[in-house]
Amino acid sequence: MKALNSFGFPVLRFNFRGTGLSQGEHDEGNGEVEDVHVALDWLNHEFHLPLIFAGFSFGAAVGLRAACPDIRVKALIGVGVPAIPVAADTETPRTYTFEFLRNCSKPKLFVSGARDQFGPRAQLEALVVSAAEPKKLVVIEGADHFFEGRLRELRETIESWVRQAILGEVSL
């Protein structure tokens, strides 16, 4: 959020259905894709600007699925993308599929921590290899799934990519 906002882009952060004070119940990723569509519709209505989607973890998994086919979305950022099944102690593992990325020709940035327990490097690299160009994977050494102690590197990574891939600036 801070990286995109540093360029003056309007940013919308929201909770998915059933999270925090939001209404509704968790829908295993299906209804949450609709939540992303509603958020994109609102941003488009309010600002009438090209959209950049950025999501973290579960938000990346469902948001990428919603944003790839949306013509208003010009670029995608997935942070902490869950490349293996994820489960809390009391739930059935959530398995995410990313086949849709094979046909998603929008610029894509994937950022993960080298110690991300939900995005082991081999699985994450395979996911990114399967995605259509253009794409970039950045693994931040020492970072876990939540980038604890490494948020500055995460922000700098996103800012650098936006400058190059979206704004077309060349760094000297």
Side-chain angles (χ1 to χ4, degrees):
M1 182 268 316
K2 289 180 181 179
L4 294 173
N5 196 247
S6 73
F7 292 98
F9 299 153
V11 175
L12 172 65
R13 287 176 52 178
F14 66 94
N15 284 331
F16 287 104
R17 57 186 65 207
T19 302
L21 299 176
S22 66
Q23 296 179 351
E25 293 181 17
H26 178 69
D27 191 29
E28 305 301 324
N30 299 310
E32 290 80 3
V33 168
E34 183 56 31
D35 293 346
V36 175
H37 287 296
V38 170
L40 294 172
D41 289 345
W42 184 86
L43 282 166
N44 184 61
H45 179 264
E46 289 295 313
F47 299 103
H48 307 290
L49 296 169
L51 302 173
I52 299 172
F53 170 81
F56 169 70
S57 194
F58 174 78
V62 299
L64 291 169
R65 189 168 47 160
C68 270
D70 191 315
I71 62 171
R72 302 168 299 182
V73 177
K74 303 305 178 196
L76 308 156
I77 302 169
V79 177
V81 175
I84 61 171
V86 177
D89 294 337
T90 60
E91 64 183 40
T92 304
R94 295 180 194 160
T95 301
Y96 304 102
T97 59
F98 296 96
E99 291 85 15
F100 61 89
L101 291 172
R102 292 181 181 142
N103 299 315
C104 185
S105 60
K106 298 173 182 181
K108 294 169 287 303
L109 172 65
F110 299 91
V111 187
S112 186
R115 298 182 1 223
D116 188 333
Q117 63 271 36
F118 305 117
R121 186 171 263 170
Q123 287 88 337
L124 189 59
E125 287 174 348
L127 183 155
V128 173
V129 164
S130 73
E133 293 288 347
K135 61 193 172 191
K136 181 175 185 176
L137 170 62
V138 175
V139 177
I140 298 177
E141 292 303 322
D144 63 8
H145 184 67
F146 297 100
F147 297 88
E148 186 174 336
R150 299 286 195 259
L151 291 175
R152 181 182 51 78
E153 291 97 328
L154 173 62
R155 180 176 176 171
E156 289 171 354
T157 297
I158 294 170
E159 288 172 346
S160 175
W161 182 79
V162 167
R163 271 190 214 94
Q164 294 172 351
I166 308 305
L167 301 178
E169 296 177 13
V170 177
S171 59
L172 303 175

